Amino acid sequence: MVASEIDRGLGGLKDKKKRYSAFALARNAASYHQNWQRAWRNASPKASYDAVIIGGGGHGLATAYYLASVHGVTNIAVIEKGWIGGGNTGRNTTIIRSNYLWDESASIYEHALKLWEGLAQDLNFNIMFSQRGVLTIAHSEHELKEMSRRVHAIRLNGIDSDVMNPAEIKKFVPCINIDQSIRYPVMGGFVQQRGGTARHDAVAWGYARAADDMGVDIIQNCEVTGLRRKGRKIIGIDTNMGFIKTKKVGCVVAGHSSVMAEMAGIHLPLASRPLQALVSEPIKPILDTVIMSNAVHMYISQSDKGEMVLGAGVDKYNSYAQRGSFPVPEHMIAAAVELFPFMSRLRMLRHWGGIVDTCPDASPILSKTDIDGLYFNCGWGTGGFKATPGSGHVFADLIANDRPNNIAAPYALSRFETGFLIDEHGAAGVAH
Amino acid sequence: MLQLPCPYCGPRDELEFSCGGEAHISRPLAHNKISDADFGEYLFLRDNPKGVFLERWRHASGCRRWFNVVRDTVSHDILEVYAMGRKPRSSAGKNAYNNSWRRTSAAEAAAVNK
Ligand SMILES: Cc1cc2nc3c(=O)[nH]c(=O)nc-3n(C[C@H](O)[C@H](O)[C@H](O)COP(=O)(O)OP(=O)(O)OC[C@H]3O[C@@H](n4cnc5c(N)ncnc54)[C@H](O)[C@@H]3O)c2cc1C
Ligand SMILES: [Zn+2]
């Protein structure tokens, strides 16, 4: 199912002097770190490009990077209305895994995971990718049975996945409460050891820096206000910095995808909802893996700074305000305290929301449209961070060749007409 | 947290309600006569505006009745509440109703005209 040979592109930075290394660190220490070069140029828009990517999140930046490094398309720009990584890329709980149920999902998420492995070298940027494992816990007999079925399906796709019993879980996560008398007892779980976390901002910065090095213009504070077309062809975009001519536009704007699509008269099956997360005050290392629970509904990990990072499900109504409703964090804190009683004594440090583009089958859209040169990459909803490299890689291929490869093909918009949905509500379990 | 005015019980916390998404979508009655694309539109495509939105809510832990709400998805202001089967009367609600692409879509036409 997964292409064995991935074309990872040219990799690295052309200019050896700009590369980050222990040597560069020592050299710059000598001048008190006053002379580090800019990570990327502060570009202003040219009159025209071969292709324009709208949205400077991880997915948009990765798309630009692979367009340049794999397909040699370098006369391109990434247009971002705020600052790069300021959307969901910089707001997520950074969980990475590829243990999805359906073949189509296994194919794209595992493609991404293979790219994560080695991405820091490809980009010459420390993205702090940490394969600390992702453990999903079962709280009922039924859930446990469903999990073993899922584990077998995942393994058939060649992806690592193992069932754990409560004793093994206690050994893996000493701070967890496995007392069988609690409301949601830990009855077992399944783990993907190759899963883990990465530093979200670093992913945006790393892709931006490497793309910029190949000549990609990264244009911030530039909002796209219109998609201009002639007949069924795209001819350019309107922005607050003026008109930019181009024949190919890739839209990667997550929660704003419906707004963008309506600019071209296209209706999408998306609902934009707030997804919230919070971190506690930093504490000493206590949790060195990622824990997810569907029944109590939350997921938790500990950042390198020591904060406990918590997330849960989406708010129940559409919103474009990047804040959520209070009952949601209240619920996730209750869930965390149930599993980790010590957490009741922690103070909350920060809390935020991002607007996610939820899709009816909880799977993304990577698609051409019926307008020539207009492509959409959206619908990643609550769980697209883990897919960032894979999404960018296949979307770049779609834009460069004007046809989807076999990883992207199942994710076309036409599935909402044929009914060939990729229903990952169950397999994804907790929303992220 | 929102406070929604249930037309039957009065103002209550958002926790008592469930949200049913976009309002005013009619099921195509002549479903065997319309194309898969049109049926797909009815089933999956949704209005998802940044701004005034017409949506259905249900007072799930109260009277359990459905009603319509005109709400701004940026400010979260609730602009109007009106009964099922009715159309909005506020100017914001009327504009949102009349300007929605769904009013002129093929699937909707098939539903309305049978
Ligand atoms: C709280 C939270 C927790 C999450 N946890 C996880 C997790 O643990 N694991 C996981 O895999 N995923 C998770 N996700 C989902 C993940 O963050 C997203 O799926 C992913 O980051 C989407 O990346 P993106 O680049 O497509 O979108 P974004 O990073 O949102 O980028 C889109 C960009 O488009 C820009 N834009 C919008 N409109 C315009 C315009 N008109 N003109 C120009 N630019 C525009 C925005 O400013 C934004 O920067 C989480 C999300 C949230 C909110
Ligand atoms: Zn009521």
Side-chain angles (χ1 to χ4, degrees):
Chain A
M1 50 108 229
V2 178
S4 47
E5 283 294 322
I6 300 176
D7 183 352
R8 306 183 73 101
L10 297 172
L13 266 78
K14 275 190 307 224
D15 187 348
K16 291 275 180 296
K17 274 195 302 232
K18 286 204 291 187
R19 289 183 68 88
Y20 295 154
S21 64
F23 180 69
L25 201 60
R27 181 159 31 90
N28 280 283
S31 57
Y32 303 99
H33 299 290
Q34 297 297 304
N35 298 317
W36 283 101
Q37 69 279 12
R38 289 189 76 109
W40 55 87
R41 290 164 297 130
N42 193 10
S44 41
K46 289 195 249 172
S48 93
Y49 289 98
D50 293 342
V52 165
I53 305 300
I54 307 175
H59 289 229
L61 292 162
T63 305
Y65 168 76
Y66 292 114
L67 267 173
S69 78
V70 176
H71 303 278
V73 186
T74 54
N75 181 28
I76 57 178
V78 176
I79 309 286
E80 165 55 51
K81 73 170 174 187
W83 66 96
I84 61 165
N88 296 337
T89 296
R91 294 165 186 270
N92 73 86
T93 48
T94 78
I95 300 170
I96 296 170
R97 60 190 178 88
S98 65
N99 52 357
Y100 281 71
L101 180 66
W102 300 112
D103 295 355
E104 294 84 357
S105 320
S107 165
I108 197 162
Y109 291 105
E110 179 62 15
H111 184 63
L113 187 49
K114 290 229 169 77
L115 284 163
W116 280 114
E117 293 168 337
L119 189 60
Q121 285 74 19
D122 291 349
L123 301 179
N124 178 238
F125 203 100
N126 183 6
I127 53 162
M128 297 165 78
F129 178 48
S130 158
Q131 292 179 293
R132 57 184 63 192
V134 174
L135 170 67
T136 308
I137 292 169
H139 300 282
S140 70
E141 195 64 41
H142 174 78
E143 226 186 329
L144 196 57
K145 284 192 177 138
E146 173 58 31
M147 253 176 210
S148 30
R149 179 221 171 200
R150 211 185 299 167
V151 162
H152 291 305
I154 293 164
R155 289 171 78 124
L156 282 174
N157 271 325
I159 295 169
D160 69 304
S161 190
D162 292 288
V163 175
M164 275 188 175
N165 65 32
E168 288 164 332
I169 290 177
K170 184 73 186 167
K171 210 168 151 212
F172 189 51
V173 190
C175 63
I176 203 166
N177 182 8
I178 59 160
D179 189 338
Q180 294 299 301
S181 68
I182 61 175
R183 171 120 193 259
Y184 295 103
V186 174
M187 303 199 50
F190 82 109
V191 67
Q192 181 176 25
Q193 300 281 5
R194 285 166 62 239
T197 56
R199 168 89 197 270
H200 49 19
D201 308 304
V203 175
W205 300 334
Y207 273 123
R209 174 169 166 268
D212 169 88
D213 186 66
M214 285 180 290
V216 176
D217 281 354
I218 292 165
I219 302 159
Q220 304 185 77
N221 299 312
C222 182
E223 179 167 2
V224 175
T225 51
L227 299 171
R228 250 199 252 178
R229 59 198 154 103
K230 199 174 201 170
R232 304 309 297 171
K233 281 201 180 88
I234 205 91
I235 55 166
I237 58 170
D238 291 303
T239 76
N240 61 352
M241 296 185 184
F243 176 70
I244 301 172
K245 198 173 143 194
T246 184
K247 286 190 176 129
K248 288 187 174 192
V249 174
C251 300
V252 204
V253 293
H256 280 76
S257 298
S258 298
V259 176
M260 189 65 60
E262 292 297 335
M263 290 179 191
I266 296 172
H267 318 307
L268 296 175
L270 302 176
S272 295
R273 300 277 187 84
L275 181 63
Q276 305 183 58
L278 60 90
V279 295
S280 74
E281 60 188 322
I283 52 171
K284 286 189 175 167
I286 188 164
L287 186 65
D288 61 358
T289 184
V290 180
I291 307 288
M292 298 171 31
S293 160
N294 299 348
V296 299
H297 208 165
M298 62 107 200
Y299 35 96
I300 185 168
S301 65
Q302 187 171 19
S303 75
D304 290 346
K305 281 184 282 182
E307 304 149 328
M308 304 306 287
V309 183
L310 267 86
V314 285
D315 281 43
K316 61 184 171 188
Y317 45 88
N318 291 12
S319 169
Y320 285 85
Q322 285 189 111
R323 56 169 195 268
S325 186
F326 188 66
V328 176
E330 196 176 28
H331 173 90
M332 69 172 110
I333 290 169
V337 171
E338 175 87 22
L339 286 182
F340 303 97
F342 80 90
M343 285 201 52
S344 68
R345 298 191 301 278
L346 294 184
R347 273 169 300 191
M348 188 171 92
L349 201 63
R350 279 175 288 129
H351 158 239
W352 65 92
I355 301 305
V356 297
D357 40 344
T358 60
C359 205
D361 58 356
S363 285
I365 294 167
L366 290 146
S367 189
K368 294 173 65 162
T369 61
D370 50 17
I371 295 167
D372 283 352
L374 183 63
Y375 310 87
F376 271 88
N377 178 349
C378 57
W380 291 97
T382 57
F385 177 69
K386 63 176 74 65
T388 305
S391 158
H393 196 263
V394 300
F395 196 51
D397 189 83
L398 173 60
I399 294 173
N401 299 311
D402 194 40
R403 54 106 194 89
N405 63 19
N406 52 12
I407 297 178
Y411 295 100
L413 267 170
S414 57
R415 76 177 186 272
F416 299 100
E417 183 179 329
T418 60
F420 204 107
L421 302 188
I422 306 159
D423 187 354
E424 283 294 354
H425 282 288
V430 170
H432 62 83
Chain B
M1 178 149 58
L2 294 183
Q3 195 185 55
L4 286 131
C6 171
Y8 311 102
C9 315
R12 300 292 174 90
D13 280 352
E14 133 192 349
L15 276 175
E16 294 187 15
F17 298 87
S18 58
C19 182
E22 185 185 344
H24 307 293
I25 307 175
S26 322
R27 184 186 172 89
L29 294 176
H31 53 80
N32 49 356
K33 291 203 186 108
I34 68 169
S35 68
D36 286 354
D38 287 343
F39 199 74
E41 175 205 290
Y42 154 73
L43 217 46
F44 297 117
L45 301 194
R46 289 293 174 267
D47 212 5
N48 185 21
K50 183 173 186 174
V52 180
F53 187 35
L54 310 183
E55 60 191 0
R56 297 168 305 169
W57 284 79
R58 187 168 69 101
H59 194 185
S61 331
C63 64
R64 297 169 71 187
R65 292 170 80 171
W66 285 93
F67 56 96
N68 293 310
V69 173
V70 180
R71 189 175 60 88
D72 188 309
T73 60
V74 180
S75 66
H76 290 185
D77 284 346
I78 291 164
L79 305 167
E80 187 187 343
V81 170
Y82 57 103
M84 296 306 286
R86 293 286 169 80
K87 286 179 187 165
R89 277 187 302 198
S90 61
S91 64
K94 271 192 206 154
N95 278 339
Y97 182 86
N98 293 327
N99 296 335
S100 166
W101 55 265
R102 203 178 285 281
R103 299 291 90 74
T104 54
S105 80
E108 194 71 10
V112 177
N113 308 329
K114 294 229 180 54

